[in-house]
Each structure stands twice: as C-alpha cells, then as structure tokens.
Amino acid sequence: MIAVDRVFLKRGLMKTLSILAGWGLAASATILLASAAGANPQRFASFGDWCANKENLPAEAKHTVEVLLLKAKTQECDRAQITLTNLTELSLESNQIVNLEPLSGLTNLRLLNLNKIKSPISNR
C-alpha cells in the first residue's frame, strides 16, 4: 500500500510540476521536484498524522505543517484535520513551501495556489 501511495503522490506531483513548468516556473518546479526526489521515508495517511508527528519531521515538512495549521486557524491537529480536509482551494503563496507531502491527505483540494498563479489539481 505504501508503494502504491508513493506512485499516486509522485504522479500527482509530477503532473503539478509539469503544469508549473509549462507556465514558465521552472525554478519552482525544480524545488518541488527535488522535494519529491528526496521524499521523507515516513508516510502518514492524514494531515492529522503529519501534525501529530510534526516535531519528528524534517524541517521542510514541519514548516509545511506549521503553515497549514496557520491556514486552519488552529494549533489543534484534530480541528485542523477537519478544516483542511474540507478545503477545495488553498493558497500557499509567499510561504516558502518546498515539501508538499503533508498535503497528500487533503483529497478535496482542486485548486492550489503556490506562487501568484493557481494550479488546477488533476482528478485523483
């Protein structure tokens, strides 16, 4: 199951990267690709799991979790889980996000704003 999750995460990330590269954001795409290539060996099923384990995460993943907690307007992992999993759009511009893995459980996301443009998320 973990291998399957990695394949789907990598495919989704690669599709997002190709969209970004197509829009001339090669530098952003390179950063995200490097993040995917050096993927965290830990895998969590939900944002709540990422959040509960944030102190043990690599710095880039921990930063992403902290930004998402701010977006959820709570520091409580269970409340943030509910808020974030119901989002269909999310703006992360100007937050210096380089690790997208903590977003992997946000399955309702359809629009992700990374750098002043909105990138459509393909159907999963």
Side-chain angles (χ1 to χ4, degrees):
M1 177 112 139
I2 290 173
V4 171
D5 289 342
R6 286 182 186 166
V7 169
F8 285 120
L9 177 63
K10 189 171 183 178
R11 282 185 189 160
L13 189 55
M14 293 302 287
K15 185 161 187 93
T16 300
L17 292 175
S18 68
I19 291 168
L20 291 173
W23 286 334
L25 295 175
S28 294
T30 302
I31 291 168
L32 293 174
L33 184 56
S35 174
N40 177 11
Q42 296 174 318
R43 297 288 173 195
F44 300 109
S46 68
F47 174 77
D49 294 337
W50 283 95
C51 181
N53 291 284
K54 77 177 180 176
E55 297 306 321
N56 300 319
L57 296 175
E60 295 87 359
K62 182 178 178 180
H63 174 70
T64 302
V65 169
E66 290 170 348
V67 168
L68 290 171
L69 287 169
L70 290 173
K71 293 291 182 179
K73 298 180 181 169
T74 183
Q75 292 297 304
E76 296 177 33
C77 295
D78 56 343
R79 288 184 60 206
Q81 166 73 24
I82 293 166
T83 300
L84 294 169
T85 55
N86 287 319
L87 292 179
T88 58
E89 296 183 15
L90 180 62
S91 175
L92 297 176
E93 75 177 275
S94 303
N95 283 292
Q96 300 175 331
I97 300 291
V98 295
N99 187 323
L100 295 177
E101 289 179 301
L103 280 80
S104 63
L106 307 183
T107 57
N108 287 323
L109 278 183
R110 297 295 175 251
L111 210 52
L112 178 61
N113 185 348
L114 295 172
N115 288 317
K116 298 184 182 183
I117 59 166
K118 292 185 178 180
S119 304
I121 305 292
S122 66
N123 293 336
R124 298 173 202 269

